[in-house]
Amino acid sequence: MSDLRDLLLEAHGGAQWKRYRRIHADMSIVGSLWARKGWPDALKNVHVEADIANQQLSYRPFTAPDLRSFYSPNLVAIERVDDGTRLKERANPRSSFEGHTPMTPWDDLQLAYFSGYAMWNYLNTPFMFALPGFVTEEIEPWSENGELWRRLKVSFPASVPTHSSVQVFHVGSEGLITRMDYFADVTGGVPTAHYMSDYREFDGIKIPTKRRAHRRNEDNTPMANGLAVSIDISDVKLSET
């Protein structure tokens, strides 16, 4: 049996990923999570730019037509699109979520942090699993909708902000990720089953263009009425500079 991590890397694009420095993507992100946090349409019809090596990401527009967000692990900010003027910023942004519950609203910098690290993770999965500090282990498979999915447990290093330090990725017969399970710490630790589908190839890399995150039951099944996040990606471009 081949190593599941290596199978994932190869199925999603293999060594070609190492060529790229930046990711540009057009997408729309909606769902009950954003409404619950006070930002129902803030990420609807946005352009995303991600710096792969430096863990940086921005959305534009962001909360206003002339603004964009800036995310890095230790600093988030709101900037003007036209000249890059920084209007506000927050260092050590994750600490601002301490004591939050699922119903706690977010300010705009908290929105920039959560949406920033989450999308950087999504766009860099599974290739980041080969970075220093990641630990992977294949665990027992999971049966769902008549399919048997292999599962990879991934432990994240502290240097990569993410939903939870340990996550489980389900892998379909073609070696593509079909689902990821986690507890979103900064949203109050809600157990989540996050589905990926409608893969398309962009510049040699296979990326899911449809993501649906559901609240997860104690038996590991998704809640029928628990859809929290919907992400639809319309276009992706990867660049070497």
PDB file of all heavy atoms in Angstrom, residues 120-132:
ATOM      1  N   TRP A 120      -5.821  30.337   3.211  1.00  0.00           N
ATOM      2  CA  TRP A 120      -4.428  29.949   2.916  1.00  0.00           C
ATOM      3  C   TRP A 120      -4.266  28.448   3.096  1.00  0.00           C
ATOM      4  O   TRP A 120      -3.640  27.778   2.274  1.00  0.00           O
ATOM      5  CB  TRP A 120      -3.460  30.694   3.827  1.00  0.00           C
ATOM      6  CG  TRP A 120      -2.035  30.497   3.390  1.00  0.00           C
ATOM      7  CD1 TRP A 120      -1.305  31.269   2.525  1.00  0.00           C
ATOM      8  CD2 TRP A 120      -1.172  29.404   3.773  1.00  0.00           C
ATOM      9  NE1 TRP A 120      -0.058  30.738   2.348  1.00  0.00           N
ATOM     10  CE2 TRP A 120       0.061  29.588   3.105  1.00  0.00           C
ATOM     11  CE3 TRP A 120      -1.314  28.305   4.620  1.00  0.00           C
ATOM     12  CZ2 TRP A 120       1.133  28.708   3.251  1.00  0.00           C
ATOM     13  CZ3 TRP A 120      -0.250  27.418   4.755  1.00  0.00           C
ATOM     14  CH2 TRP A 120       0.952  27.631   4.079  1.00  0.00           C
ATOM     15  N   ASN A 121      -4.844  27.904   4.167  1.00  0.00           N
ATOM     16  CA  ASN A 121      -4.818  26.448   4.380  1.00  0.00           C
ATOM     17  C   ASN A 121      -5.472  25.715   3.221  1.00  0.00           C
ATOM     18  O   ASN A 121      -4.914  24.756   2.671  1.00  0.00           O
ATOM     19  CB  ASN A 121      -5.541  26.089   5.675  1.00  0.00           C
ATOM     20  CG  ASN A 121      -4.674  26.163   6.921  1.00  0.00           C
ATOM     21  OD1 ASN A 121      -4.464  25.169   7.615  1.00  0.00           O
ATOM     22  ND2 ASN A 121      -4.167  27.346   7.230  1.00  0.00           N
ATOM     23  N   TYR A 122      -6.666  26.146   2.850  1.00  0.00           N
ATOM     24  CA  TYR A 122      -7.416  25.432   1.818  1.00  0.00           C
ATOM     25  C   TYR A 122      -6.660  25.401   0.489  1.00  0.00           C
ATOM     26  O   TYR A 122      -6.575  24.364  -0.169  1.00  0.00           O
ATOM     27  CB  TYR A 122      -8.786  26.078   1.601  1.00  0.00           C
ATOM     28  CG  TYR A 122      -9.685  26.105   2.814  1.00  0.00           C
ATOM     29  CD1 TYR A 122     -10.777  26.973   2.866  1.00  0.00           C
ATOM     30  CD2 TYR A 122      -9.458  25.286   3.917  1.00  0.00           C
ATOM     31  CE1 TYR A 122     -11.610  27.023   3.965  1.00  0.00           C
ATOM     32  CE2 TYR A 122     -10.292  25.323   5.022  1.00  0.00           C
ATOM     33  CZ  TYR A 122     -11.356  26.206   5.047  1.00  0.00           C
ATOM     34  OH  TYR A 122     -12.180  26.249   6.145  1.00  0.00           O
ATOM     35  N   LEU A 123      -6.116  26.546   0.094  1.00  0.00           N
ATOM     36  CA  LEU A 123      -5.443  26.632  -1.199  1.00  0.00           C
ATOM     37  C   LEU A 123      -4.110  25.887  -1.213  1.00  0.00           C
ATOM     38  O   LEU A 123      -3.621  25.510  -2.280  1.00  0.00           O
ATOM     39  CB  LEU A 123      -5.229  28.095  -1.595  1.00  0.00           C
ATOM     40  CG  LEU A 123      -6.494  28.893  -1.907  1.00  0.00           C
ATOM     41  CD1 LEU A 123      -6.149  30.367  -2.130  1.00  0.00           C
ATOM     42  CD2 LEU A 123      -7.224  28.337  -3.130  1.00  0.00           C
ATOM     43  N   ASN A 124      -3.531  25.662  -0.049  1.00  0.00           N
ATOM     44  CA  ASN A 124      -2.231  24.988   0.026  1.00  0.00           C
ATOM     45  C   ASN A 124      -2.332  23.518   0.431  1.00  0.00           C
ATOM     46  O   ASN A 124      -1.304  22.857   0.606  1.00  0.00           O
ATOM     47  CB  ASN A 124      -1.312  25.731   0.986  1.00  0.00           C
ATOM     48  CG  ASN A 124      -0.772  27.005   0.380  1.00  0.00           C
ATOM     49  OD1 ASN A 124       0.206  26.988  -0.374  1.00  0.00           O
ATOM     50  ND2 ASN A 124      -1.410  28.125   0.670  1.00  0.00           N
ATOM     51  N   THR A 125      -3.539  23.016   0.591  1.00  0.00           N
ATOM     52  CA  THR A 125      -3.752  21.598   0.896  1.00  0.00           C
ATOM     53  C   THR A 125      -3.779  20.793  -0.395  1.00  0.00           C
ATOM     54  O   THR A 125      -4.428  21.189  -1.360  1.00  0.00           O
ATOM     55  CB  THR A 125      -5.085  21.417   1.653  1.00  0.00           C
ATOM     56  OG1 THR A 125      -5.026  22.123   2.896  1.00  0.00           O
ATOM     57  CG2 THR A 125      -5.383  19.956   1.928  1.00  0.00           C
ATOM     58  N   PRO A 126      -3.096  19.634  -0.450  1.00  0.00           N
ATOM     59  CA  PRO A 126      -2.362  18.932   0.614  1.00  0.00           C
ATOM     60  C   PRO A 126      -0.863  19.228   0.629  1.00  0.00           C
ATOM     61  O   PRO A 126      -0.125  18.611   1.386  1.00  0.00           O
ATOM     62  CB  PRO A 126      -2.595  17.475   0.243  1.00  0.00           C
ATOM     63  CG  PRO A 126      -2.553  17.486  -1.264  1.00  0.00           C
ATOM     64  CD  PRO A 126      -3.230  18.799  -1.655  1.00  0.00           C
ATOM     65  N   PHE A 127      -0.412  20.163  -0.229  1.00  0.00           N
ATOM     66  CA  PHE A 127       1.026  20.339  -0.422  1.00  0.00           C
ATOM     67  C   PHE A 127       1.751  20.778   0.848  1.00  0.00           C
ATOM     68  O   PHE A 127       2.918  20.447   1.049  1.00  0.00           O
ATOM     69  CB  PHE A 127       1.262  21.313  -1.567  1.00  0.00           C
ATOM     70  CG  PHE A 127       0.583  20.870  -2.835  1.00  0.00           C
ATOM     71  CD1 PHE A 127      -0.606  21.451  -3.246  1.00  0.00           C
ATOM     72  CD2 PHE A 127       1.111  19.830  -3.582  1.00  0.00           C
ATOM     73  CE1 PHE A 127      -1.251  21.018  -4.389  1.00  0.00           C
ATOM     74  CE2 PHE A 127       0.470  19.388  -4.728  1.00  0.00           C
ATOM     75  CZ  PHE A 127      -0.713  19.979  -5.131  1.00  0.00           C
ATOM     76  N   MET A 128       1.050  21.508   1.721  1.00  0.00           N
ATOM     77  CA  MET A 128       1.707  21.940   2.954  1.00  0.00           C
ATOM     78  C   MET A 128       2.035  20.766   3.866  1.00  0.00           C
ATOM     79  O   MET A 128       2.866  20.892   4.767  1.00  0.00           O
ATOM     80  CB  MET A 128       0.843  22.955   3.695  1.00  0.00           C
ATOM     81  CG  MET A 128      -0.495  22.443   4.149  1.00  0.00           C
ATOM     82  SD  MET A 128      -1.439  23.761   4.993  1.00  0.00           S
ATOM     83  CE  MET A 128      -3.008  22.947   5.252  1.00  0.00           C
ATOM     84  N   PHE A 129       1.410  19.603   3.650  1.00  0.00           N
ATOM     85  CA  PHE A 129       1.691  18.442   4.492  1.00  0.00           C
ATOM     86  C   PHE A 129       3.147  17.995   4.384  1.00  0.00           C
ATOM     87  O   PHE A 129       3.640  17.269   5.253  1.00  0.00           O
ATOM     88  CB  PHE A 129       0.786  17.264   4.123  1.00  0.00           C
ATOM     89  CG  PHE A 129      -0.688  17.518   4.290  1.00  0.00           C
ATOM     90  CD1 PHE A 129      -1.614  16.646   3.727  1.00  0.00           C
ATOM     91  CD2 PHE A 129      -1.161  18.614   4.990  1.00  0.00           C
ATOM     92  CE1 PHE A 129      -2.982  16.863   3.878  1.00  0.00           C
ATOM     93  CE2 PHE A 129      -2.523  18.847   5.143  1.00  0.00           C
ATOM     94  CZ  PHE A 129      -3.430  17.970   4.577  1.00  0.00           C
ATOM     95  N   ALA A 130       3.839  18.398   3.309  1.00  0.00           N
ATOM     96  CA  ALA A 130       5.243  18.027   3.116  1.00  0.00           C
ATOM     97  C   ALA A 130       6.191  19.027   3.762  1.00  0.00           C
ATOM     98  O   ALA A 130       7.413  18.830   3.737  1.00  0.00           O
ATOM     99  CB  ALA A 130       5.551  17.913   1.627  1.00  0.00           C
ATOM    100  N   LEU A 131       5.665  20.099   4.371  1.00  0.00           N
ATOM    101  CA  LEU A 131       6.509  21.099   5.011  1.00  0.00           C
ATOM    102  C   LEU A 131       7.058  20.579   6.343  1.00  0.00           C
ATOM    103  O   LEU A 131       6.464  19.685   6.957  1.00  0.00           O
ATOM    104  CB  LEU A 131       5.708  22.379   5.252  1.00  0.00           C
ATOM    105  CG  LEU A 131       5.236  23.152   4.023  1.00  0.00           C
ATOM    106  CD1 LEU A 131       4.352  24.330   4.444  1.00  0.00           C
ATOM    107  CD2 LEU A 131       6.416  23.639   3.201  1.00  0.00           C
ATOM    108  N   PRO A 132       8.171  21.147   6.808  1.00  0.00           N
ATOM    109  CA  PRO A 132       8.726  20.734   8.111  1.00  0.00           C
ATOM    110  C   PRO A 132       7.707  20.943   9.234  1.00  0.00           C
ATOM    111  O   PRO A 132       6.988  21.942   9.263  1.00  0.00           O
ATOM    112  CB  PRO A 132       9.933  21.659   8.289  1.00  0.00           C
ATOM    113  CG  PRO A 132      10.323  22.056   6.893  1.00  0.00           C
ATOM    114  CD  PRO A 132       9.033  22.138   6.132  1.00  0.00           C
TER     115      PRO A 132
END
